Amino acid sequence: MKMGLGNALRAERIKFTTLPSQWAAPLTALVLTVGITAAVSATEGAPAPGSGKDPANMIYYGLLFGHVAVACVGILLIGQEFNTRMIDTSLTAVPSRSRLYGAKLALGAGLGLLLGLASTAGSFLAVDVTAGLDLSTPGLARSFLAGVLYHPMMVLICLGLTAMLGNFSAALGLLTPMVFLGTTWLGAIPGVREAGQFLPDRAGLYAMRTQTEPGIHYGHWTGLAIMALWTAAAVYGGRRAMQRHQASGA
């Protein structure tokens, strides 16, 4: 009897809720993102009137640390099964790798969206309570939307890339330092800085800004679209990798 997508998604949800390592990652991301933002906001206070400082710098300060845990959500959703060979058990229940992959994508997108709503709303509230936030600031609504959508896109990018690598340790060792430090390093290298701004996390973070930044060759909405394109490419690459493994009998 073949398991449909709905049943496959239900099975993925059960695995997620029963494995501490799975749900600990989004919880860690939420605590880091909101907690660090609240601490920095309480310490620095509100920017002086007319200072020209972008409020997004304070709102998303915690995300600079929390998005590593967001990346781990996507890696863990599929990487652990590669690492323990539980992927074989999952394929016994869901013989179609495309269906299994689709269920993981759906769960990852849903988790990322919930996490994005919670962490972004929490960060906005933390800054408003501790330092005061002018909600009429131009671009703030778009910044909130970008902050929410950044999370599911980051989860799906890392899930897709992990599926392409087919190895939990390789994904964890490559993707987490790349998200945390890699693009920052690239941005500091002359001649590479221009290309680095088109990487998914840099484009997504720029979409959250309320002000323009010198040297960035696209607008805020375009930054969100760039990250969406990276997401689509990673999801597609992961799907092709899963199908290739299936065809080869791996």
Side-chain angles (χ1 to χ4, degrees):
M1 179 179 177
K2 291 184 177 181
M3 182 182 287
L5 181 60
N7 289 331
L9 179 57
R10 191 174 301 110
E12 292 300 317
R13 178 183 58 80
I14 292 171
K15 282 188 284 186
F16 171 79
T17 55
T18 54
L19 292 173
S21 58
Q22 298 263 6
W23 52 260
L27 182 60
T28 300
L30 180 61
V31 171
L32 283 174
T33 300
V34 179
I36 293 176
T37 293
V40 172
S41 177
T43 301
E44 294 191 0
S51 65
K53 290 184 178 180
D54 192 333
N57 291 335
M58 183 176 292
I59 294 170
Y60 295 108
Y61 190 87
L63 183 59
L64 298 177
F65 303 88
H67 69 175
V68 179
V70 177
C72 288
V73 174
I75 295 170
L76 287 166
L77 282 176
I78 193 169
Q80 274 193 324
E81 294 189 51
F82 283 122
N83 191 49
T84 61
R85 299 310 305 167
M86 283 297 293
I87 191 73
D88 298 328
T89 303
S90 296
L91 286 169
T92 300
V94 188
S96 170
R97 295 203 175 200
S98 295
R99 190 175 295 119
L100 177 64
Y101 183 60
K104 290 183 180 295
L105 289 175
L107 178 63
L111 286 172
L113 188 59
L114 289 174
L115 178 58
L117 282 167
S119 63
T120 305
S123 295
F124 267 70
L125 181 61
V127 173
D128 190 36
V129 169
T130 58
L133 187 62
D134 183 3
L135 298 178
S136 65
T137 301
L140 205 59
R142 185 253 309 140
S143 175
F144 183 90
L145 177 64
V148 172
L149 295 180
Y150 179 91
H151 292 73
M153 287 195 287
M154 177 61 72
V155 170
L156 294 183
I157 286 172
C158 291
L159 196 158
L161 291 176
T162 303
M164 293 169 66
L165 291 169
N167 186 288
F168 171 73
S169 299
L172 196 64
L174 176 66
L175 297 179
T176 51
M178 188 64 186
V179 169
F180 188 50
L181 293 173
T183 56
T184 303
W185 289 343
L186 289 175
I189 301 174
V192 182
R193 187 180 299 114
E194 295 295 307
Q197 66 183 276
F198 293 96
L199 291 172
D201 61 318
R202 295 299 295 272
L205 290 171
Y206 183 67
M208 301 176 206
R209 304 277 187 177
T210 63
Q211 300 175 6
T212 58
E213 183 177 323
I216 301 296
H217 300 304
Y218 50 80
H220 298 101
W221 285 111
T222 304
L224 197 61
I226 290 171
M227 189 173 187
L229 288 174
W230 277 101
T231 304
V235 166
Y236 177 74
R239 180 175 178 271
R240 289 298 302 269
M242 291 288 283
Q243 290 176 331
R244 185 168 61 251
H245 293 327
Q246 184 178 24
S248 64

